[in-house]
Amino acid sequence: MTDTLRLSDFPSWRELQALAAQMQGTTIAALFSRDPQRATEFTASAAGLTLDYSKHLLCRDSRAALLRLAEQAQLPLRAGQLLAGTPLNNTESRPALHTLLRARTAPTGLNAEFSAVEDTRQRMRLWCDRINGGHLLGHSGAPIRDVVNIGIGGSDLGPRLVTGALAAFQGPVRCHYVANVDPADLHYTLQRLDPGSTLFILCSKSFRTEETLANGVAARDWLLAAGVTAEDMQRHFLAITTNLEAAADFGVPAENCLPLWDWVGGRYSLWSAVGLSAAIAIGWDNFSGLLSGAEEMDKHFSSANIAHNLPMLMSLLEIWYCNFFAAGNQVVLPYDQGLAQLPDFLQQLTMESNGKRVTRDGEPLDYDSAPVLWGSAGTMGQHSFHQLLHQGTRLCPADFILPLTTPLVDDGRHRMLVANGLAQSRTLMIGRSEDEARASLLERGLENAEADRLAAHLAMPGNRPSSVITLDAVTPQGLGALLALYEHRTFCSGQLWGINSFDQWGVELGKEIGSAILKRLEQADSPQNMDAATERLLGEWRAAQKRRAPPRED
Ligand code: F6P
């Protein structure tokens, strides 16, 4: 017995299957010819962002059917429940209240949570101002100049993305990010830093994450080796966590700890004290701008009707391709160097949230859930994987993210960047027929026979869908709105698939097995208890240790 409706239970499911089949007989270019208003009619704006979804395999009828699906799934009601703190995370019996972290007023019934958020915001602001004002002194009396955020997953990707994306707003203190337990990550970061003026932020919701704790210990050893005494150590560490006790055990005093709460999911936690390193990098006012941009998107999400609701429209497109065109992936192409980390951030957001195989009630899904998300900043991808986008055999629906201006002087290169982004989206749609390819080869002076031989290789099917999301510039507000847009899209898709987007049980077993294997690596004579392949690899590791060159000292 199940309470959760599956996507395939909704009345629109069969209708959408039929409409998707009909779309096979048409092209996006033909949809434009038939519908002159399409470019404007398939565009929606909110919070400084414009979503152009006109270049999709979507006609007015199929869009109407998708909108009906959203109504049947009661997406507006679900959006309201999310923001009101309904415990939607049913496997962990808690709400997912990331929207509260950017709210300026307390939603009904959430006064206590809101005042804890406000209190923490005040403390974040004080730390930002103190550090950026040069008033936080390291053990030798030198002001802190570098901040190293040690965290992983949601305790890393969000602040790392914001710091990079808003480099134009960079203040006097530089922020660095160390996530990987590979010693190289911390080692090469610290190589450039002075222990006397470096502050570490141990960022871990649970304060139990192996990678973060191990890197924290190594950071402390680096400071000890530089002569920092145990008493002075607290000048060099802050902690962001729900687990204040574990932070205290590590040696971070309560006044250096900023809290977060179990109702904030790691991948949704950028807006909490987890964002402190980013707030230091860009300054409090700009971080505050990031929060207001996200809040504006929250308001849009919870009030705009479905037909104009950006997160809902984007989610319906995700469902359309994933479940009715069998597209197993989605590519995100930010035409902005600062947003180069966006695909990484979105991978955790979408795949950890919606990479699930059962409904909220534990019933197996009879359709696909989250597609594989990938991508990189334009124009680099054009010289690498765009070949597959244009001529490969797979359907890869694309999101182009296109800031229209640069904060730097445009000596012509930003225009080139924009031209490339627009060109890629248009080329994916129009493609080039074999006849056109042949004609262009003849124009280039090739002989008929050579043109005939090469035409099929130059032909491009086109009809490949993409959205273009534009914003005037990557400002704190614009970035906040963009990230909240993807958060809400993820939530809507989870609702349509009938899954819980806020847990991540699938990562646990690997951690347990990792600990068991680590024990085996540490104890040479431990009895064999793994499968034959793992045992062979353990042996290979042992042999490599014996052959190993002396470690580097630099
Ligand atoms: O292992 C997955 C995960 O739990 C993510 O959900 C989370 O963002 C990351 O690890 C880091 O967790 P923490 O902030 O507790 O160190």
Side-chain angles (χ1 to χ4, degrees):
M1 183 57 196
T2 173
D3 291 335
T4 304
L5 279 180
R6 285 184 250 203
L7 181 59
S8 49
D9 295 330
F10 291 114
S12 288
W13 171 255
R14 291 209 175 284
E15 185 191 8
L16 284 164
Q17 281 177 325
L19 285 163
Q22 278 173 27
M23 292 308 298
Q24 308 287 357
T26 187
T27 63
I28 306 170
L31 293 173
F32 270 99
S33 319
R34 261 186 258 147
D35 187 351
Q37 299 306 318
R38 186 173 171 86
T40 44
E41 292 280 314
F42 284 68
T43 295
S45 298
L49 307 180
T50 297
L51 167 70
D52 177 340
Y53 63 104
S54 61
K55 286 185 244 116
H56 279 285
L57 285 157
L58 191 69
C59 62
R60 285 177 190 250
D61 287 349
S62 40
R63 177 174 65 179
L66 283 171
L67 296 175
R68 279 196 292 281
L69 173 72
E71 271 163 28
Q72 289 155 16
Q74 298 184 296
L75 287 189
L77 174 80
R78 302 290 173 221
Q81 289 178 334
L82 178 76
L83 270 74
T86 308
L88 296 175
N89 178 351
N90 66 321
T91 60
E92 296 175 310
S93 310
R94 47 171 93 136
L97 265 173
H98 41 284
T99 50
L100 185 68
L101 298 166
R102 52 235 189 181
R104 299 290 145 157
T105 51
T108 314
L110 294 172
N111 287 327
E113 289 84 352
F114 183 73
S115 80
V117 168
E118 276 211 310
D119 183 54
T120 307
R121 270 189 217 148
Q122 283 313 316
R123 291 185 59 205
M124 283 173 75
R125 179 186 196 140
L126 289 175
W127 279 108
C128 272
D129 292 349
R130 198 169 158 205
I131 294 168
N132 281 322
H135 305 305
L136 183 69
L137 307 181
H139 73 109
S140 60
I144 294 300
R145 285 278 159 249
D146 289 280
V147 167
V148 182
N149 185 80
I150 299 183
I152 197 163
S155 297
D156 165 69
L157 291 163
R160 187 194 286 262
L161 165 65
V162 170
T163 301
L166 298 178
F169 300 83
Q170 174 68 53
V173 173
R174 287 165 302 177
C175 290
H176 313 267
Y177 293 87
V178 170
N180 201 326
V181 75
D182 182 339
D185 198 2
L186 185 69
H187 177 85
Y188 292 114
T189 303
L190 297 186
Q191 225 174 23
R192 295 173 272 144
L193 307 184
D194 172 2
S197 56
T198 298
L199 173 77
F200 292 96
I201 300 183
L202 295 178
C203 194
S204 173
K205 180 180 167 186
S206 62
F207 223 84
R208 274 195 293 266
T209 303
E210 270 186 6
E211 292 94 326
T212 300
L213 297 183
N215 278 327
V217 169
R220 191 169 57 194
D221 289 347
W222 180 72
L223 292 169
L224 283 170
V228 181
T229 61
E231 298 77 64
D232 277 342
M233 200 53 79
Q234 54 179 284
R235 292 170 177 270
H236 294 272
F237 277 101
L238 300 184
I240 316 289
T241 186
T242 54
N243 189 349
L244 300 174
E245 241 173 54
D249 288 347
F250 186 94
V252 186
E255 63 273 20
N256 287 18
C257 290
L258 290 172
L260 70 154
W261 307 273
D262 66 0
W263 43 258
V264 187
R267 52 195 174 274
Y268 298 89
S269 64
L270 160 68
W271 325 97
S272 71
V274 164
L276 181 63
S277 55
I280 293 167
I282 61 176
W284 180 257
D285 289 348
N286 289 318
F287 190 78
S288 208
L290 184 86
L291 299 182
S292 12
E295 189 193 24
E296 208 180 325
M297 182 54 71
D298 297 340
K299 288 186 175 150
H300 164 77
F301 176 50
S302 56
S303 63
N305 72 42
I306 303 170
H308 302 285
N309 195 302
L310 265 60
M312 293 184 193
L313 288 169
M314 283 177 63
S315 162
L316 292 170
L317 288 168
E318 181 174 30
I319 301 288
W320 181 234
Y321 290 114
C322 182
N323 299 106
F324 300 97
F325 290 81
N329 78 103
Q330 209 228 324
V331 62
V332 176
L333 304 166
Y335 273 66
D336 182 276
Q337 187 56 30
L339 292 175
Q341 299 290 326
L342 182 66
D344 286 15
F345 173 84
L346 294 180
Q347 280 181 340
Q348 188 198 16
L349 175 64
T350 63
M351 298 202 275
E352 201 173 64
S353 295
N354 288 339
K356 313 276 166 73
R357 52 178 287 286
V358 295
T359 64
R360 294 165 55 80
D361 303 317
E363 297 293 324
L365 301 183
D366 55 1
Y367 44 79
D368 280 327
S369 61
V372 173
L373 188 147
W374 59 291
S376 84
T379 62
M380 280 92 82
Q382 291 174 213
H383 298 272
S384 124
F385 57 77
H386 280 226
Q387 165 64 36
L388 178 149
L389 298 184
H390 291 294
Q391 286 188 315
T393 53
R394 291 171 203 284
L395 177 63
C396 308
D399 278 1
F400 287 86
I401 318 283
L402 193 60
L404 300 172
T405 63
T406 171
L408 303 176
V409 174
D410 184 9
D411 56 10
R413 283 176 293 162
H414 192 261
R415 244 167 285 165
M416 285 169 73
L417 181 69
V418 172
N420 272 280
L422 295 177
Q424 290 297 312
S425 174
R426 173 171 157 75
T427 309
L428 284 169
M429 172 178 70
I430 62 171
R432 172 166 59 188
S433 70
E434 218 166 304
D435 283 348
E436 287 166 339
R438 192 176 295 105
S440 114
L441 289 164
L442 291 173
E443 236 170 68
R444 284 195 232 162
L446 268 72
E447 297 294 332
N448 273 337
E450 191 60 355
D452 285 348
R453 191 175 75 82
L454 292 180
H457 297 276
L458 270 71
M460 299 163 73
N463 207 26
R464 302 193 165 198
S466 65
S467 294
V468 181
I469 299 170
T470 51
L471 61 169
D472 273 357
V474 185
T475 58
Q477 286 80 0
L479 181 62
L482 181 70
L483 301 183
L485 166 62
Y486 275 99
E487 282 183 351
H488 294 319
R489 181 194 77 154
T490 303
F491 170 69
C492 290
S493 296
Q495 290 297 310
L496 289 162
W497 284 316
I499 60 187
N500 177 4
S501 301
F502 299 112
D503 59 12
Q504 59 282 319
W505 299 103
V507 302
E508 297 303 329
L509 180 59
K511 290 184 193 172
E512 281 170 34
I513 296 180
S515 301
I517 292 184
L518 180 60
K519 280 200 189 109
R520 290 287 309 281
L521 297 179
E522 287 167 350
Q523 296 162 4
D525 51 355
S526 52
Q528 296 203 350
N529 57 0
M530 309 260 162
D531 60 278
T534 307
E535 289 297 344
R536 195 200 67 73
L537 288 161
L538 286 171
E540 201 176 317
W541 179 82
R542 291 212 166 86
Q545 304 314 302
K546 292 187 187 138
R547 297 191 298 269
R548 180 179 182 224
R552 293 173 58 141
E553 293 295 339
D554 58 340

